Every structure is written in C-alpha cells, then in structure tokens.
Amino acid sequence: MKKWHLLFLTAVLSLVLAACGGAEESDSGEEGADESAESTEENGSEGSSDLGEEDITLSYVEWDTEIASTHVMQKVLEDEGYNVEITPLDNAVMWQSIATDEADGMVAAWLPLTHGDLYEEYEDQIVDLGPNLEGAAIGMVVPEDFPVDSIADLSDEANQTVTGIEPGAGVVQAAERAVGEDYDNLGDWEVQTSSSGAMATELRSAVESGEEIVVTGWSPHWKFQEFDLKYLEDPEGSFGEAETINTIVRQDLEADSPHAYNVLDNFFWETEQMEEVMLEIEQGTSPQEAAEAWVEDNQDVVSEWTE
C-alpha cells in the first residue's frame, strides 16, 4: 500500500509539473506571438513605405518640350529603382493632379506667364522646386523671310490668322490678348486654336511651300533646329519676358520618397540639351528611345541630378 501510495503521489506531482510547464510555454508562446506580430507590423509598415517610394507618377502636357523632359526624367528615376508612370493631361488637369496628390510631380510648369494663372490657383497645394530650364520664351513665330519683324507692323499677312495650339494654353491666351487688347492693328485678326502637333504640321507645310504663317511658338522647340524662324518683336509686352520651366511636386513627396524628391529637385539642363532629345523624337525616334540614348550619353549630367 505504501508503494502504491508513493506511485500515486509521484504521478500527481508529474501532472502538476507538466501543467505548470505547459502554462509557461503557453505564456512564452503568447509573448513570442505578440513580439512576432509587432515585428511583422513594423516590417510590414516599412515594406509598405518602401513600396510606396518605388512608385512614382509624373504628369505632363503633350508639348514637345514636356514630352522630352518627362521621358528623360522617367528614365533617370527608373535607373534609380523606381517604377515610373507618366500620364499626359490637359494643362489644368495636370496642375490639379499634383494639387490633389493624384500624381507625384511634373517637370512642365512654364512660369511666370504661361501657367501663371494655374500657379496662383494651386500655389498653396503644391511645392515649387524651381527651374529645371531657364531662358524659355513664348511669342508669335514666323519664317525668317516673313515680310515684317514686329507684331506692331502686321496688317494682312498670313490670312490675318495666328495659328495657335490648345485652347487655354498660356501662349494662346497671350496671343488672344495681343489680338483683342494690346495691338490696334490686329483688330481683324483671329487666333485659331488647334493642338501642338497640328500647329507644327501647318508650320512645316507653310515653310516648305513658301507660304506666310504666324504661329504661337515657344522655345526650346525642335522647330528652331529644323527651320529658319524668328520671333516677331513684341513692343507691347503681350508675351512677357523670358520664362523658366519649373519642377512642381505634391506636398508630401519629400517625406514619402526623399530620394525621388531630391532627383527632381536637382533636375536642371540647358536648352540645347533638351532640343537634342526633341529633335530625335521629331525625326522618328520614340520618346522612350530618345530619352534612353540621351541619358546614356550624358551620364555626367545625370549623376549631378542623382547625387
């Protein structure tokens, strides 16, 4: 009986110890699960941040200058490890997309005149990183052999028509102001809007056929490399002084994607460099291929942007 009693006590003690050990393991397991959950949450948060930083969206208006600069910046950011989506939009929608965080940035803001009204509308909702190109100009552009040199001297040339680009573009608004308000000699003239591509097509046709034409023009633009052109003098200042093309980004981009922000902030090139890309595109090279070739051939410049 003593022997059986001893065995019974031993068995009970073993069960008690096992139960205690299981509880400790359970507690330890719960602590480990909590720590694992915390770790997963932290790592997951970091992973989401990294993923967000890898995706960049750039808006642009389909002007030749912006097609060139946006594709170059897309290539540069892709080489830095980002997934870059570029979206062509109307002028006003392009600005709105940055202000509402639907896009991360653009390199297409002509200031202070061409996009001046849009800048004033969204100034408090965007971040202006300053010029990526200086010395840009807008105005009335004509072939070099055009019979007059000044807007003030226009009379009945070119069917009294200024061939414009998209309605609402700053250069179109300036031309409409010149025709409707600033120059008395343009009372019978009209600004005929179309698109950037249509304007370029009509310009080419007129130059090749020797016909007179007045277009709303800007530089940088491949047309100045392709044709002998000139700006008409603008004594009334309808088209303003030389402009800059600025980089604009959404307000939280620096916090969300600091390296992409820095690359966009550092982006700056010269008129001749932009026109190299533009001319390649005009001559039939795709924008992607033209941008890739320029980036490859100008790594010294690109390295200054990506520091």
Side-chain angles (χ1 to χ4, degrees):
M1 288 296 293
K2 291 182 178 179
K3 180 178 181 181
W4 285 109
H5 184 69
L6 180 59
L7 289 173
F8 176 78
L9 291 176
T10 302
V12 171
L13 181 59
S14 298
L15 289 172
V16 172
L17 291 174
C20 292
E24 289 176 359
E25 288 177 4
S26 177
D27 292 341
S28 176
E30 288 176 1
E31 290 177 5
D34 291 342
E35 291 174 1
S36 177
E38 285 181 286
S39 177
T40 301
E41 185 177 352
E42 291 173 359
N43 292 336
S45 174
E46 291 174 2
S48 298
S49 176
D50 290 341
L51 180 60
E53 186 172 337
E54 291 176 357
D55 296 314
I56 297 295
T57 301
L58 301 177
S59 299
Y60 69 104
V61 62
E62 287 188 289
W63 297 346
D64 296 291
T65 43
E66 278 51 71
I67 291 173
S69 59
T70 304
H71 279 83
V72 165
M73 186 48 53
Q74 179 187 32
K75 172 60 176 171
V76 170
L77 287 171
E78 285 178 344
D79 287 348
E80 292 299 296
Y82 294 92
N83 302 314
V84 184
E85 178 183 354
I86 61 175
T87 305
L89 298 170
D90 175 77
N91 264 332
V93 181
M94 175 180 68
W95 280 83
Q96 185 183 49
S97 71
I98 311 300
T100 58
D101 294 348
E102 293 178 15
D104 293 303
M106 63 166 165
V107 292
W110 285 62
L111 297 171
L113 178 63
T114 304
H115 288 150
D117 56 340
L118 291 165
Y119 181 84
E120 289 180 6
E121 180 177 355
Y122 295 112
E123 182 178 4
D124 295 334
Q125 299 171 260
I126 51 91
V127 178
D128 180 6
L129 298 182
N132 59 64
L133 185 139
E134 295 177 341
I138 63 172
M140 292 188 185
V141 174
V142 298
E144 185 65 43
D145 60 359
F146 196 77
V148 301
D149 295 320
S150 173
I151 297 175
D153 295 331
L154 290 172
S155 56
D156 58 358
E157 298 82 9
N159 296 319
Q160 295 183 312
T161 299
V162 179
T163 301
I165 56 171
E166 292 81 3
V171 66
V172 169
Q173 293 177 343
E176 291 171 340
R177 184 165 55 250
V179 169
E181 301 176 19
D182 296 343
Y183 289 91
D184 294 337
N185 58 306
L186 300 183
D188 295 328
W189 282 64
E190 67 170 341
V191 178
Q192 188 176 75
T193 58
S194 55
S195 68
S196 302
M199 178 276 292
T201 298
E202 292 193 35
L203 176 62
R204 180 183 294 279
S205 177
V207 169
E208 292 177 349
S209 63
E211 297 177 359
E212 294 178 351
I213 189 170
V214 179
V215 302
T216 56
W218 63 92
S219 53
H221 195 280
W222 60 263
K223 62 182 177 286
F224 290 98
Q225 301 290 325
E226 187 86 356
F227 310 118
D228 291 328
L229 303 173
K230 64 183 179 182
Y231 281 102
L232 290 179
E233 296 172 7
D234 178 24
E236 297 299 326
S238 299
F239 293 90
E241 302 296 329
E243 295 198 284
T244 62
I245 305 178
N246 287 24
T247 300
I248 304 292
V249 299
R250 62 179 175 86
Q251 289 186 332
D252 294 331
L253 182 64
E254 184 175 17
D256 295 339
S257 300
H259 184 57
Y261 177 94
N262 287 333
V263 173
L264 288 164
D265 194 19
N266 289 337
F267 174 45
F268 184 88
W269 58 350
E270 303 294 338
T271 297
E272 296 77 10
Q273 294 169 329
M274 177 185 275
E275 288 181 344
E276 289 175 12
V277 182
M278 295 169 68
L279 188 57
E280 283 294 316
I281 296 171
E282 169 58 22
Q283 292 176 344
T285 304
S286 72
Q288 293 83 358
E289 292 175 339
E292 289 173 3
W294 190 90
V295 169
E296 182 177 348
D297 293 341
N298 292 271
Q299 281 295 305
D300 55 334
V301 177
V302 173
S303 65
E304 296 178 1
W305 306 342
T306 59
E307 288 179 350

